[in-house]
Amino acid sequence: MQAEPIRIEALNYAYGEGELRRPVLRDVALQVGVGEVLLLTGPSGSGKTTLLTLIGALRAMQEGSCTVLGQELFGASEGARVSLRQRIGFIFQNHNLLGALTARQNVAMALEVVPRFSETERLARAGEMLAAVGLAEHADRLPAKLSGGQRQRVAIARALVGEPGLVLADEPTAALDKVSGAEVAHLLRDLAKSRGVPILMVTHDPRILDIADRVVAMEDGRIVEHELT
């Protein structure tokens, strides 16, 4: 039986120290299954993004257990966390594309950590991934020449081109209009499902809840609700 891509138990996290210490996550337990699309909802300040950054090995654990793609992150070295990050596709609200590079070059950059690919191979794979997100004809355009929805499609291509074991997305549709947001969310789900890649997405956007296998709500640093869709 294949292990769950994400398993979290008794996770606690706080900012600051001493009298300034402020708990942000409290006794969080969460699992994400193979190929599952899980949306994490809740008000601002409820701890969603902090949890996402811990799962993504972007910050060190403080207390509890968080196993991601078989790697226990509590007590993990910086080297182990860097290695894990290379196996995760990240998508953020701000697409974070480099303005001086074309869409193809932006996507190909995600493969620079894979030494077995030559530059020609990286660009070719980037082109294939852009075609998969419907941007074959826009591959050589700069981000400034793309719409918001198209830029976010480039970000999806960049996240998936390295064939990650997990995709983490933080408000990927927040800056998009209704139509573009729905298109981007459904595209991300369909691509991940076709590759068997689980998605954990933080969102405030009620318009995209239909893409989820499961919706989990957070409040005051705790998971308060598991809602089946």
Side-chain angles (χ1 to χ4, degrees):
M1 182 176 178
Q2 190 171 355
E4 292 165 317
I6 299 174
R7 173 173 285 275
I8 299 169
E9 297 175 351
L11 188 153
N12 293 281
Y13 193 86
Y15 292 125
E17 296 180 0
E19 294 182 359
L20 299 177
R21 188 177 186 274
R22 181 172 65 88
V24 180
L25 297 173
R26 308 165 191 264
D27 198 29
V28 172
L30 181 68
Q31 294 80 42
V32 178
V34 176
E36 183 177 22
V37 177
L38 187 148
L39 299 192
L40 195 59
T41 66
S44 296
S46 58
K48 304 183 302 299
T49 294
T50 299
L51 180 58
L52 200 74
T53 59
L54 288 166
I55 293 169
L58 295 170
R59 68 175 80 234
M61 289 272 294
Q62 293 178 346
E63 185 180 332
S65 173
C66 181
T67 304
V68 179
L69 301 178
Q71 170 71 56
E72 171 59 65
L73 288 173
F74 181 74
S77 67
E78 176 62 19
R81 290 195 288 125
V82 169
S83 179
L84 178 61
R85 288 198 293 268
Q86 294 173 354
R87 300 167 57 202
I88 298 173
F90 294 93
I91 305 170
F92 300 100
Q93 177 178 340
N94 297 318
H95 46 74
N96 296 327
L97 302 180
L98 295 178
L101 301 183
T102 65
R104 188 195 310 272
Q105 291 168 331
N106 267 284
V107 175
M109 279 190 65
L111 295 174
E112 290 186 355
V113 296
V114 185
R116 70 179 185 273
F117 293 139
S118 67
E119 183 179 0
T120 299
E121 289 172 323
R122 290 197 298 268
L123 290 170
R125 291 173 72 93
E128 292 168 2
M129 197 67 236
L130 285 168
V133 300
L135 293 179
E137 297 180 358
H138 302 282
D140 296 312
R141 291 189 177 185
L142 296 174
K145 299 295 184 181
L146 301 173
S147 69
Q150 289 170 336
R151 288 193 290 269
Q152 201 60 302
R153 284 171 180 252
V154 176
I156 290 173
R158 181 180 57 192
L160 292 175
V161 71
E163 300 180 353
L166 170 67
V167 171
L168 299 178
D170 192 4
E171 300 281 5
T173 65
L176 303 178
D177 60 41
K178 179 180 180 180
V179 173
S180 297
E183 288 178 350
V184 163
H186 284 84
L187 174 67
L188 177 57
R189 179 200 62 190
D190 293 346
L191 286 171
K193 285 288 188 182
S194 70
R195 290 164 169 76
V197 180
I199 301 174
L200 177 59
M201 182 188 301
V202 167
T203 185
H204 282 105
D205 191 347
R207 305 169 300 182
I208 65 169
L209 297 183
D210 63 321
I211 75 165
D213 296 313
R214 189 158 50 106
V215 178
V216 172
M218 290 190 71
E219 188 173 321
D220 295 329
R222 302 180 188 275
I223 289 178
V224 294
E225 181 180 349
H226 289 72
E227 179 181 326
L228 293 176
T229 59

